Amino acid sequence: MLYSLKVAGAQTAASLADRLGITSVAVRQMLGRLHEDGLVAFEDSRETVGRPKRFWHLTDSGNGQFPDNHAALTADILASISAVFGDAGLDKLIAHREAATLDHYRTELADAGSLEQRVQRLADIRSAEGYMAETTRDAAGALVLVENHCPICVAARACQKLCRSELDVFQAALGPDVEIRRFEHILKGARRCAYRITERPGGSPQLAMKL
């Protein structure tokens, strides 16, 4: 139930029932227990004439049920590095992490041919790292990489250079014929991070970011 709300966002009990393949009665019972535990909350929305629909979503405690890769400790370490070694030391650390991550991604993507294959492989890698990533296409047919969870969110809030570093890594890993645009961002209040990825034949590397 929590996973479904995490990856699909706010939903009604009926839509959750369809998604999970169980009855609406069972869903409402589970939602009631999760609500008592403070893991989910709801908002009533009147979309048409008649009875309003109740949309359920995760609370902060609900989101906290997903892995955070020891985020609080990571944030403390980053703060200590900045205090002891200054911004230059922190930049050096992030650059080292970026280089190591890029080397790993390039190795994993080496035998992926098309852009779609590369993006799917990247999503698989990110999911293994805890980002609950998936690929889809938007209304215009462009590839979209979606990350439903950020296991380093606390650390990224403390050091937003980590987010910029990840975008740089995506660009370098996917190649110079690709343009990446982030149009949803967890740190800006969105439910997820989402990146639109398009081909730019013959173009030079470019990173387009909507922060």
Side-chain angles (χ1 to χ4, degrees), residues 141-176:
L143 284 164
V144 176
L145 172 66
V146 174
E147 295 182 339
N148 293 293
H149 180 60
C150 179
I152 63 165
C153 190
V154 174
R157 289 186 190 280
C159 179
Q160 295 198 14
K161 291 179 180 179
L162 289 173
C163 278
R164 290 193 289 271
S165 173
E166 288 190 333
L167 279 165
D168 289 339
V169 169
F170 288 174
Q171 179 68 72
L174 292 175

Side-chain angles (χ1 to χ4, degrees), residues 57-119:
H57 60 85
L58 295 181
T59 62
D60 289 342
S61 294
N63 278 301
Q65 301 301 303
F66 296 88
D68 64 1
N69 285 8
H70 309 292
L73 175 61
T74 304
D76 287 344
I77 291 174
L78 289 173
S80 296
I81 291 172
S82 182
V84 175
F85 300 106
D87 288 342
L90 184 58
D91 289 343
K92 188 174 182 178
L93 174 69
I94 292 173
H96 176 77
R97 173 182 179 271
E98 183 177 314
T101 301
L102 177 58
D103 183 63
H104 170 60
Y105 287 4
R106 279 177 167 165
T107 299
E108 294 296 321
L109 297 177
D111 62 346
S114 68
L115 176 58
E116 184 171 10
Q117 290 174 329
R118 281 178 280 161
V119 174

Side-chain angles (χ1 to χ4, degrees), residues 119 134-138 142-146 183 194-197:
V119 174
E134 58 186 347
T135 61
T136 184
R137 288 187 180 272
D138 63 14
L143 284 164
V144 176
L145 172 66
V146 174
F183 61 94
Y195 308 84
R196 183 175 292 106
I197 303 171

